[in-house]
Amino acid sequence: MLSLLLFAAAPLQAAPPPSPADPIEADWRAIPDDELLVMTLANGRQVVIRLAAGMAPQHVGNVRTLARAHWWDGESVYRVQENWVAQWGDATEKKPLPAGVTDRPAAEFEIAAFRPAVRLAKADSYSTASGITADGWPVASNGRQAWLTHCYGMVGVARDALPSTGSGAELFTPIGQSARRLDRNYTVVGRIVEGMPYLSALPRSDAAMGMYATAAERTPIVSVRLASDMPAAERPHFQYRRADNPRFAAAVARREHPEAPMVSLGGAAVCDVLPGVRRAP
Amino acid sequence: MLSLLLFAAAPLQAAPPPSPADPIEADWRAIPDDELLVMTLANGRQVVIRLAAGMAPQHVGNVRTLARAHWWDGESVYRVQENWVAQWGDATEKKPLPAGVTDRPAAEFEIAAFRPAVRLAKADSYSTASGITADGWPVASNGRQAWLTHCYGMVGVARDALPSTGSGAELFTPIGQSARRLDRNYTVVGRIVEGMPYLSALPRSDAAMGMYATAAERTPIVSVRLASDMPAAERPHFQYRRADNPRFAAAVARREHPEAPMVSLGGAAVCDVLPGVRRAP
């Protein structure tokens, strides 16, 4: 149909170029059940988050403890700021944290080392180098420190003014342009792997900071559970695409060097090459 | 209120740092009425677009002709692709273009020269230089060509596979991460200055390319008018913030070098420093 040609993405070609998000059977890996957080909003809307377990262990530990304590049940998505973030947790900031949660964990804004499996060709405004790790995380570096990047759909830890004030109870995700200026300033704990539109398409608040002015505007959270703690029959299974192989490297290279007549500087932003994720078939 | 402190943006400080989007009285300039496109969707939702008149004259000319012919009345927003674009126009691709519209204008993917009033410190993945023009447009360069950048909220011309096949009848805007890989591949005709959530918060389509599978899902367009063609009593008036002054330069510099304890590489992406726009008071 001609209508498929009127699009704003890459031109239609006989064989579409490989994309980093493509499903490639050989390269799918299971996301472990205890690295998957399932947030059920009102009306059955599920947002599924892959936890960056090895990269922010204290905060991910807190998130797991909060989930096991059912702490988010009855809380809400209380902030949706246009071209910035959606944020959720306890809008009142009064609910006591459960036992076992480190109240003021040391900030985990950075990760131990910069070890991408596929490295991007160009520096960007926020990092001298960036890439995707073997297990599919977007990372960046300035030559000294390394960190997970605050791309659209990544999940960060909201905090007060001081770095060690984010426990993991309040989480946010960028819903507009990728929020790279938050890199190294907020801990990243994961990536939304399904259900992002349930956050990105929420009504925005025009009140300060995008906080909903009234409780009625908030989207209720019914429950948040680790997949490993859900009954087997209800437990979702997800996979990520492995990045340490020539197929993914080729997909990234194709994004940096698109086929003519598309032109490019020869670079792509790390947030534009996130590997595919899917529900396990 | 403590609740204001739990945020995911810059830490609360006694005096908030200047932002490129700040309203600074001395620097507001009127957007001429014939550079303002007012798209009214069903249920009174208005999306207002500032046209980049000098930078894509043929396509902006087509847009004006289409608006004057009331061509978009009864058409729709027919595509909403998660973390990509919303697109609108004639979903059937069958409606004849009105007289006076150049059917296949030469592509205007680039602009004549790279002349930012404020230039950003760092290169990015898509350009060796970028900045904001005196009259508030985001521009980038590779040292040879210059172009308007496909930021979140900018308006581009959808086209078929060949460069000169976009008339301006089908328009799109990035609704997720800024679509910089479209730079120099699609003509940019403007920037959404009000009503962006009416597009960015629309339900997404899971069908191919984010095209809605059924007509019922589309958001009807009631009318599209140039402000200059609207009755004076209905005509909206908008302003943009001028960029060729030390206040805007300081706001950009602050974004590149935030106050401690925020850290930065010393750069900011051009899409993150768009100057403020507002309805004229």
Side-chain angles (χ1 to χ4, degrees):
Chain A
M1 283 175 59
L2 260 182
S3 67
L4 291 175
L5 292 175
L6 264 179
F7 51 72
L12 193 65
Q13 297 167 349
S19 154
D22 281 345
I24 304 293
E25 286 315 311
D27 301 329
W28 288 113
R29 298 289 182 275
I31 296 172
D33 292 344
D34 69 345
E35 291 178 18
L36 213 58
L37 199 66
V38 181
M39 176 163 71
T40 302
L41 306 175
N43 302 322
R45 290 167 282 175
Q46 272 194 352
V47 176
V48 185
I49 298 166
R50 179 188 182 195
L51 297 173
M55 290 166 148
Q58 282 230 44
H59 288 82
V60 170
N62 272 359
V63 164
R64 286 182 169 134
T65 303
L66 289 158
R68 290 191 169 121
H70 300 185
W71 190 84
W72 281 293
D73 294 17
E75 301 307 326
S76 68
V77 182
Y78 56 78
R79 174 188 185 192
V80 181
Q81 190 171 2
E82 166 61 16
N83 194 13
W84 194 235
V85 298
Q87 185 171 323
W88 62 95
D90 169 24
T92 70
E93 290 178 53
K94 291 187 166 56
K95 186 169 178 175
L97 297 175
V101 169
T102 308
D103 188 11
R104 292 187 162 228
E108 291 176 307
F109 300 160
E110 295 161 8
I111 60 180
F114 177 64
R115 290 209 195 94
V118 176
R119 183 170 164 158
L120 291 167
K122 293 199 178 296
D124 62 42
S125 312
Y126 303 98
S127 56
T128 54
S130 61
I132 305 291
T133 64
D135 59 347
W137 293 102
V139 293
S141 170
N142 58 5
R144 294 180 303 285
Q145 288 95 19
W147 58 87
L148 285 163
T149 53
H150 284 269
C151 299
Y152 180 101
M154 295 292 283
V155 178
V157 175
R159 60 171 176 78
D160 285 351
L162 298 174
S164 298
T165 53
S167 65
E170 311 304 314
L171 299 172
F172 68 88
T173 187
I175 61 166
Q177 60 176 339
S178 290
R180 294 290 306 280
R181 64 178 147 98
L182 302 185
D183 285 7
R184 264 199 305 154
N185 291 301
Y186 289 80
T187 298
V188 177
V189 288
R191 174 188 176 189
I192 289 169
V193 295
E194 189 180 90
M196 181 65 183
Y198 294 134
L199 296 172
S200 63
L202 283 175
R204 278 71 169 131
S205 169
D206 290 332
M209 312 280 301
M211 298 286 201
Y212 287 127
T214 64
E217 298 170 80
R218 301 173 192 151
T219 297
I221 296 171
V222 174
S223 68
V224 177
R225 300 285 183 272
L226 286 171
S228 50
D229 293 337
M230 295 171 72
E234 297 172 28
R235 191 178 308 158
H237 302 285
F238 277 77
Q239 297 172 326
Y240 69 93
R241 180 180 173 179
R242 197 80 185 165
D244 52 349
N245 55 76
R247 291 165 294 285
F248 186 77
V252 171
R254 175 59 72 201
R255 193 137 277 186
E256 294 181 311
H257 301 279
E259 278 191 20
M262 296 283 281
V263 299
S264 164
L265 191 76
V270 67
C271 295
D272 202 27
V273 296
L274 294 187
V277 286
R278 70 174 187 181
R279 274 193 185 249
Chain B
M1 282 177 59
L2 261 181
S3 65
L4 290 176
L5 292 175
L6 265 177
F7 51 72
L12 193 64
Q13 297 166 349
S19 153
D22 282 346
I24 304 294
E25 287 315 312
D27 301 329
W28 289 112
R29 299 288 184 276
I31 296 172
D33 292 343
D34 69 343
E35 292 179 16
L36 212 59
L37 198 67
V38 182
M39 175 163 72
T40 303
L41 306 175
N43 301 322
R45 291 168 281 175
Q46 273 195 351
V47 176
V48 185
I49 298 165
R50 180 188 180 194
L51 296 173
M55 291 166 147
Q58 282 232 45
H59 288 83
V60 170
N62 273 358
V63 165
R64 286 180 169 135
T65 303
L66 288 158
R68 290 190 169 122
H70 299 186
W71 190 84
W72 280 293
D73 295 17
E75 301 307 327
S76 69
V77 182
Y78 56 78
R79 175 188 185 193
V80 181
Q81 189 171 2
E82 165 64 14
N83 194 13
W84 194 235
V85 298
Q87 186 171 322
W88 62 95
D90 169 25
T92 70
E93 291 178 54
K94 291 185 165 60
K95 186 170 178 176
L97 296 176
V101 170
T102 308
D103 189 12
R104 292 186 162 230
E108 292 177 307
F109 300 161
E110 294 161 10
I111 60 180
F114 178 64
R115 291 209 194 94
V118 177
R119 184 170 163 157
L120 291 167
K122 294 198 177 296
D124 61 41
S125 312
Y126 303 97
S127 56
T128 54
S130 61
I132 304 292
T133 64
D135 59 348
W137 294 101
V139 292
S141 172
N142 58 5
R144 293 180 304 285
Q145 288 93 19
W147 57 88
L148 286 164
T149 53
H150 284 268
C151 299
Y152 180 101
M154 296 291 283
V155 178
V157 174
R159 59 172 178 77
D160 286 351
L162 297 174
S164 298
T165 52
S167 65
E170 312 304 313
L171 299 172
F172 68 88
T173 187
I175 62 165
Q177 57 174 340
S178 288
R180 293 290 306 280
R181 61 179 151 97
L182 302 185
D183 285 7
R184 265 200 304 154
N185 291 300
Y186 289 78
T187 298
V188 176
V189 287
R191 174 189 176 188
I192 289 169
V193 295
E194 191 182 87
M196 182 64 184
Y198 295 133
L199 296 171
S200 62
L202 283 175
R204 278 75 167 125
S205 168
D206 291 330
M209 312 279 301
M211 299 287 201
Y212 287 126
T214 64
E217 295 170 82
R218 301 174 191 150
T219 296
I221 297 171
V222 174
S223 68
V224 177
R225 300 283 183 273
L226 285 171
S228 50
D229 293 338
M230 296 172 73
E234 297 172 28
R235 193 177 307 157
H237 302 285
F238 277 77
Q239 298 171 324
Y240 68 92
R241 180 180 173 179
R242 196 81 185 163
D244 52 348
N245 56 77
R247 292 164 295 284
F248 186 78
V252 171
R254 176 60 72 199
R255 193 140 276 185
E256 295 181 309
H257 301 279
E259 278 190 20
M262 297 284 281
V263 298
S264 164
L265 190 76
V270 67
C271 295
D272 202 29
V273 296
L274 294 187
V277 286
R278 71 175 186 180
R279 273 191 185 252

